[in-house]
Amino acid sequence: MDKEKLISKFDHQSKIYEMRRKKQSEKKWREKLIGSAKGKVLEVAVGAGANFYFYPKNVDVTAVDFSGAMLSKAKESATASNVRATFIQSDIESISFPENAFDTIVSTFSFCGYEHPVRLLESFNRWCKPDGQILLMEHGLSSNRLIGSTQKIIKPVFLRVVGCHLDRNMINIFQHSPIHIHHMERYKFNTVHLVWASPNKGLLRVNTKNALR
Ligand SMILES: C[S@@+](CC[C@H](N)C(=O)[O-])C[C@H]1O[C@@H](n2cnc3c(N)ncnc32)[C@H](O)[C@@H]1O
């Protein structure tokens, strides 16, 4: 889908995401995952800032989203939660950060929207410090056959209306990326994945060396 169209779809959804933030939807999962963040944090596709309530003290967040309307809601949330944050309006799939720039990289419910999800995980692998962590909460294809086939059937409508690929196989995406998963929890018929991962710099070095031969 054309990026401008997608941005305008998300601009229009910003009020809904603000309401969900205020209701603290997914509080239990966010608390658990975001509570592990530390140091210099990159939060991609920050939306209306639903995670800001849950960051520990002393983190320093760089928050990226391509929707200006979402970012203005996220700024309010950071202020209300007393989180030190800077905001960048950009497409996360085309931005670049220096290698090893962040202690923690956070993404919640954003991988359903990207054009190249594995490539973005490769970027996380580069941007994250070797001893850093990658924290993900992503929804995707259920392992339950009935729910999975329903997701496949209704995906085109979801994509058109909210810009979401409802049937992304997240396990497949993780396996094709270089990140190293330490712990994963799955909920709601395995449609929601909570992931604690680290970058795998060794693998990248080997790949680069082979590519140069
Ligand atoms: C489903 S919302 C999730 C928001 C938030 N992370 C949360 O947990 O509530 C997806 C967000 O990703 C943003 N987004 C999607 N694709 C993006 C891209 N390529 N670059 C930057 N932001 C993107 C949208 O603007 C939206 O704010």
Side-chain angles (χ1 to χ4, degrees), residues 11 13 18 20 30 32-33 36 39 75 79 97 99 110 113 137 144 146 150 158 161 180 189 193 197 204 207:
D11 279 342
Q13 293 174 63
E18 182 185 38
R20 287 180 56 181
R30 291 186 194 272
K32 206 171 190 185
L33 188 79
S36 309
K75 283 176 193 168
T79 307
F97 292 104
E99 201 164 338
S110 78
M137 176 169 77
N144 176 294
L146 185 63
T150 310
F158 259 72
V161 179
H180 176 67
F189 297 98
H193 310 69
L204 253 197
N207 284 345

Side-chain angles (χ1 to χ4, degrees), residues 32-92:
K32 206 171 190 185
L33 188 79
I34 305 302
S36 309
K38 56 179 194 285
K40 263 188 92 177
V41 177
L42 170 67
E43 182 171 339
V44 305
V46 67
N51 292 327
F52 282 120
Y53 299 137
F54 307 107
Y55 278 113
K57 284 201 171 64
N58 300 326
V59 293
D60 203 334
V61 180
T62 300
V64 180
D65 203 292
F66 61 15
S67 154
M70 288 283 194
L71 278 179
S72 57
K73 310 274 184 213
K75 283 176 193 168
E76 290 166 14
S77 175
T79 307
S81 312
N82 257 324
V83 173
R84 247 191 341 263
T86 49
F87 295 87
I88 302 173
Q89 184 172 2
S90 169
D91 177 357
I92 194 68

Side-chain angles (χ1 to χ4, degrees), residues 87-129:
F87 295 87
I88 302 173
Q89 184 172 2
S90 169
D91 177 357
I92 194 68
E93 294 192 90
S94 53
I95 202 170
S96 93
F97 292 104
E99 201 164 338
N100 305 333
F102 298 99
D103 299 291
T104 306
I105 299 185
V106 169
S107 162
T108 59
F109 297 144
S110 78
F111 272 77
C112 60
Y114 300 129
E115 270 177 71
H116 302 292
V118 173
R119 258 191 239 166
L120 188 61
L121 284 176
E122 286 165 1
S123 300
F124 286 8
N125 200 63
R126 252 191 338 274
W127 300 336
C128 192
K129 291 181 184 170

